[in-house]
Amino acid sequence: MNASETSGFSSLEGLTGFTNSSGFVSSNVTQSYGNASMFNTSTSSPVSSGGGGVGGSTRSITMTKETSDDITSTLQCYVFPIITLIGLTGNILSLLVLLQKKMRASTTSLVLIGLAMSDILFLITNAVRKSTCIIERFDPSAAAMLNATTFYYMFYLKTAFSRVSTLIVVLISIERLIAVAFPLKIKSIVTRTKMFIAVIFCYVVTFAGLAGLPPQYTYAFSSSGRPRIAMTPFAYENAVPLKAYNEYFLPIVYRHAPVCLVLIINSLIIFLLGRSNRFQKSVSKQDSKRSDEQKKITRMLLSVALVFLICLLPGDVLLVASLVVDGFTFFGFHRNLFAALSDISLCFEMVNSCANFIIYMLLNRNFYNTFVRLFCCCVTYIRSRNSTTTSSKTRDTTETSASMKVKCQQGGNVVTNDESSISVPEMAEVKGNINDAYIE
């Protein structure tokens, strides 16, 4: 088994297209998984020449299977783990900073905490899904078993956390639009309680809306004992409504609509800021400092939205193309190109989950200062210890000098720091006394 067949195992996301780039599986794809033994060891490819079955030609007119395999295996086995580690580190650091007392008082920080948590959980669940690419190199049977037995719920969790992040970015954009359009009313309109409820709502509505995914999938064993992903009786009995659910409802509600909203809302924010100085003039002089802080926050959150759009738009374009271009699906004539572009789209989505920490550090002085105080305290501690040690040494030297003076006085002479003020006979006598005392 080559590395890209693991993309049949590890990527069933690779099913990539509909699960990597859009987060959803189309019913014609799942039908192929349910009806055909995708993991049949007698075939070298999990796709068919006509776009609906399994087996057949492994080449398409747009990209060879070998090229597609190289791209997907490189991404899944090398690039994805690196991005995951970077993203987890950045988001955990973001959480630790945002949870500091000074930071969490802000309503914006409350939303960013929710975003960091969803990004962390998305990266973790996605890493579990993609880990089969690495495991397959050591134990193909274990990789096949892990892929088949975890797909139906790990796919649901991965997709849900990814879509939660999408909805929270929409929430951030709405909050900034209110801050720009109604700066004097922002405190009364946007409160901590309301934002907390809104973040919880994003989680609840996403997990509830995607709850129809897990019941569609299970796993079974082929006649050769090889594990494979299969469709449940529930999926077969409700094939028609599930087709509309998988192919239209989920992508539109949880992918296309949020991306369009973020694009429209942030375009409106930029227009309002660029048309006039309304945001600045509507704030009193007493609130000028707060106005500057709000402008900086607005720039930071606009950057978050911009990165979000750059990273998610390729996946949306790929999704739309899969609906309008004949054969541009995971089982279609252009399947090799589709599988490669799907993993590339997922890579962009993972980068989006990693970028926020960098944006906060570069564009939010308060976040940066809190981070420095929190994580660079060890440097301050070391410096303070060094300073304490130096002071202690100086104090010991002073005390030694004082004790020497006492010993000299006990010898019947008064010694000052200036030896030239003592006569030669007196100096000799003092030194003799000191030496005698040392020898004794």
Side-chain angles (χ1 to χ4, degrees), residues 146-319:
L146 177 65
N147 182 73
T149 56
T150 63
F151 174 76
Y152 64 99
Y153 63 89
M154 290 306 299
F155 165 54
Y156 167 68
L157 293 174
K158 173 188 100 63
T159 305
F161 287 123
S162 175
R163 299 290 81 85
V164 168
S165 295
T166 300
L167 294 185
I168 290 180
V169 173
V170 175
L171 178 62
I172 290 172
S173 300
I174 294 173
E175 188 267 346
R176 277 301 95 187
L177 178 62
I178 296 172
V180 171
F182 309 102
L184 297 179
K185 299 180 180 180
I186 182 67
K187 284 188 175 181
S188 60
I189 298 176
V190 180
T191 64
R192 282 181 55 81
T193 302
K194 291 179 181 178
M195 295 307 288
F196 178 77
I197 294 174
V199 171
I200 296 300
F201 177 79
C202 290
Y203 276 85
V204 172
V205 75
T206 301
F207 277 85
L210 273 65
L213 289 176
Q216 299 181 47
Y217 309 103
T218 185
Y219 67 94
F221 294 91
S222 64
S223 57
S224 62
R226 193 175 186 82
R228 64 180 178 85
I229 297 170
M231 292 178 67
T232 61
F234 169 80
Y236 285 113
E237 294 168 2
N238 300 277
V240 174
L242 286 177
K243 177 181 175 64
Y245 174 78
N246 290 330
E247 294 187 8
Y248 299 102
F249 173 75
L250 294 181
I252 291 174
V253 173
Y254 292 98
R255 179 75 183 220
H256 299 314
V259 170
C260 289
L261 281 174
V262 171
L263 179 61
I264 294 171
I265 293 172
N266 285 277
S267 298
L268 184 58
I269 292 173
I270 294 172
F271 173 76
L272 290 175
L273 291 175
R275 185 186 60 179
S276 64
N277 293 325
R278 176 181 177 181
F279 182 66
Q280 294 89 339
K281 291 181 178 179
S282 59
V283 181
S284 63
K285 292 182 179 180
Q286 291 79 3
D287 293 331
S288 60
K289 182 178 180 180
R290 184 175 183 277
S291 173
D292 292 337
E293 292 175 354
Q294 288 296 317
K295 285 187 289 185
K296 292 176 182 178
I297 294 174
T298 299
R299 284 196 297 268
M300 180 189 74
L301 297 180
L302 280 174
S303 300
V304 170
L306 178 62
V307 171
F308 169 84
L309 291 172
I310 292 173
C311 292
L312 266 72
L313 278 175
D316 277 51
V317 172
L318 182 65
L319 233 162

Side-chain angles (χ1 to χ4, degrees), residues 83-84 86-88 90-91 119 123 349-358:
I83 295 177
T84 299
I86 295 173
L88 289 176
N91 282 291
D119 283 341
L123 291 169
E349 189 169 348
M350 293 174 67
V351 169
N352 175 63
S353 296
C354 301
N356 292 335
F357 173 74
I358 300 173

